[in-house]
Amino acid sequence: MKVLLIGGGGREHALAWKLRQSPRLTELYAAPGNPGIAKHASCVSLDPADSGAVIAFCRSKAIDLVVVGPEAPLVDGVVDRLGEAGIAAFGPSAAAARLEGSKGFTKDLAAEARIPTAAYRRCRDLETTRAEILARHPPIVVKADGLAAGKGVTIAATHDEAIAAAAACFSGAFGHAGAEVVIEDYLAGEEVSFFAISDGVTVLPLASARDYKRLGDGDEGPNTGGMGAISPAPAMTPELAERAMREIVGPTVTALRRRGTPFRGILYAGLMITAEGPKLIEYNVRFGDPECQVLMMRLESDLLEVVLAAVQSRLETLRVEWSGSAAATVVMAAPGYPSTPVVGSEIRRLDEAEQAAGVKIFHAGTRSAGGRLLASGGRVLCVTARGETMSAATAKAYRGVALVDWPEGIFRSDIGEGR
Ligand code: AMP
Ligand code: GLY
């Protein structure tokens, strides 16, 4: 089977590594890929936003299946365009991807399906938003409705801060994504990333993870795309996972199917484990990055089989096997990340670090130049390990970090610790 993987970050490196292990895979292409992915796939410079070019490439290589990593092409409808061209693709349609593309859409769907989530109000102008904010007690959560590269959410400690955040949205800080704002109550508890897969009708739980979003140790500093992850999430007991499926994920899939826009793909539920049980914070419509890296370390089933079962509407008959062990990934980022990453420094001895520490190093933001490997993005490497216990997995990952010869790299030293 010939597969095209869309994306070029740490998540896609983990997907490429896992897809490559499938006996059914004959050829793997990645667009655009990266130097790490290039060990498992042929990298092609295709713009995923240009669906015409993607379709032409698929036809020229007789691609059997397209797997889409990031959210933007999904929200833009790449899966719809491929479907119209008769090319099978894994990921939701644009209509179903609104779960990630519009926070207001998801809140309305949750209200309709009686899914536990924070009380909210959608607002389209500053006057309504101001009144809505003043009617609530801080902390108040202010969200740009659309995709804002993880930057559209403010947890405001005061009314003034909340109003300023809303004003920034309406004045174009997030472009079109901020034309509408969602104001919601703050949920206290422990946050968990919970993953499931659906073929539109059946939905199967996959696994849980914890993402470390803040830059610094002890959850200090600015928000990032994620500085590390562990799986399973310590807070996610089997009972809570069962409740999340019954009260949140299952009803979401049912509601989308009833609306005539069935969800096929990965559902990534951001959950808050509150005193009253799991509540939905938000949905993403793809694997998390760096959560995918730890999930792929623990997935024992053939990823290609799992994805095909979803695409071919036969998840009902599938069993997804997971290792009982723990996995951890430590992100090494460029100095200055997240605001102004300084790129271009050289990274050495990755293969030696992988072998000596027994880790898998996924490339997130690297490029090769004249036989050298250079940092090319904010998040650069994801040093990933499995272990019998979480502390064994994190100890191994940190041994790998210590062996990577990249003095410029910054990382958190507390992944896997704490709550
Ligand atoms: P999002 O972009 O929706 O994932 O929001 C970013 C982060 O803000 C989430 O991962 C949570 O940590 C936090 N957050 C969002 N909504 C809420 C809420 N209603 N209560 C508490 N924290 C929230
Ligand atoms: N790690 C957060 C995300 O993928 O959205």
Side-chain angles (χ1 to χ4, degrees):
M1 175 155 249
K2 296 181 183 175
V3 176
L4 169 66
L5 172 65
I6 291 187
R11 164 182 49 212
E12 288 77 25
H13 187 178
L15 292 174
W17 171 73
K18 195 69 196 171
L19 285 170
R20 180 44 82 191
Q21 294 167 29
S22 171
R24 294 191 62 176
L25 185 88
T26 52
E27 281 171 55
L28 182 62
Y29 296 90
N34 68 34
I37 293 172
K39 292 192 176 162
H40 317 291
S42 309
C43 296
V44 287
S45 59
L46 265 182
D47 177 5
D50 182 352
S51 47
V54 175
I55 290 167
F57 177 82
C58 290
R59 289 202 169 126
S60 74
K61 298 291 183 193
I63 296 292
D64 300 298
L65 175 71
V66 179
V67 176
V68 186
E71 62 276 16
L74 295 169
V75 172
D76 285 350
V78 72
V79 171
D80 308 66
R81 301 286 94 72
L82 286 162
E84 287 155 15
I87 300 161
F90 177 63
S93 65
R98 293 190 71 201
L99 272 187
E100 178 162 2
S102 166
K103 295 192 191 291
F105 171 88
T106 297
K107 297 298 285 192
D108 287 352
L109 186 102
E112 174 193 310
R114 299 178 184 281
I115 290 168
T117 186
Y120 75 106
R121 175 91 187 266
R122 300 177 77 167
C123 303
R124 291 193 172 80
D125 64 78
L126 190 55
E127 272 324 296
T128 321
T129 313
R130 188 195 305 271
E132 192 59 34
I133 287 170
L134 292 174
R136 287 168 194 263
H137 293 290
I140 298 163
V141 183
V142 180
K143 299 184 172 182
D145 181 71
L147 290 185
K151 298 190 178 77
V153 176
T154 302
I155 315 272
T158 63
H159 288 121
D160 285 350
E161 193 190 338
I163 292 167
C169 287
F170 288 121
S171 64
F174 305 108
H176 187 63
E180 183 177 327
V181 161
V182 174
I183 302 297
E184 62 181 53
D185 287 347
Y186 178 77
L187 295 173
E190 186 159 344
E191 209 174 327
V192 162
S193 305
F194 184 65
F195 295 86
I197 186 169
S198 181
D199 58 14
V201 177
T202 301
V203 55
L204 298 180
L206 292 176
S208 66
R210 181 185 166 195
D211 179 20
Y212 292 74
K213 286 204 168 79
R214 300 290 188 135
L215 180 69
D217 285 3
D219 283 334
E220 301 283 339
N223 252 324
T224 71
M227 291 300 290
I230 58 174
S231 177
M236 203 62 180
T237 61
E239 294 72 34
L240 284 170
E242 197 270 323
R243 269 187 81 177
M245 287 301 291
R246 183 162 34 88
E247 297 174 11
I248 298 174
V249 179
T252 302
V253 168
T254 303
L256 284 172
R257 177 168 49 82
R258 289 206 178 122
R259 285 181 175 195
T261 53
F263 187 96
R264 278 191 204 85
I266 298 294
L267 269 168
Y268 160 174
L271 303 179
M272 193 67 88
I273 308 302
T274 71
E276 291 134 46
K279 293 195 180 181
L280 179 67
I281 300 174
E282 58 150 9
Y283 271 122
N284 297 307
V285 297
R286 39 135 186 119
F287 280 114
D289 189 348
E291 292 100 317
C292 185
Q293 289 80 315
V294 282
L295 295 190
M296 291 307 114
M297 291 300 273
R298 293 188 54 229
L299 178 63
E300 305 229 304
S301 300
D302 178 338
L303 176 62
L304 187 51
E305 290 289 355
V306 174
V307 163
L308 277 175
V311 170
Q312 297 167 351
S313 301
R314 46 181 182 78
L315 276 184
E316 209 177 9
T317 59
L318 188 80
R319 269 189 65 84
V320 185
E321 305 286 347
W322 295 90
S323 147
S325 61
T329 188
V330 178
V331 170
M332 298 182 78
Y337 177 74
S339 54
T340 46
V342 180
V343 299
S345 50
E346 185 172 357
I347 304 158
R348 299 183 190 85
R349 298 172 56 83
L350 278 193
D351 291 346
E352 292 92 321
E354 275 195 325
Q355 274 172 18
V359 296
K360 183 73 206 156
I361 302 181
F362 296 115
H363 292 225
T366 67
R367 70 183 175 91
S368 36
R372 299 189 310 153
L373 186 70
L374 306 180
S376 69
R379 293 188 292 173
V380 176
L381 301 170
C382 307
V383 184
T384 313
R386 227 167 84 162
E388 282 308 306
T389 60
M390 192 57 75
S391 52
T394 52
K396 213 186 213 186
Y398 278 110
R399 272 201 298 281
V401 169
L403 291 171
V404 171
D405 184 358
W406 183 40
E408 289 84 356
I410 59 168
F411 56 90
R412 275 181 69 155
S413 58
D414 65 346
I415 302 303
E417 286 174 20
R419 287 180 299 133

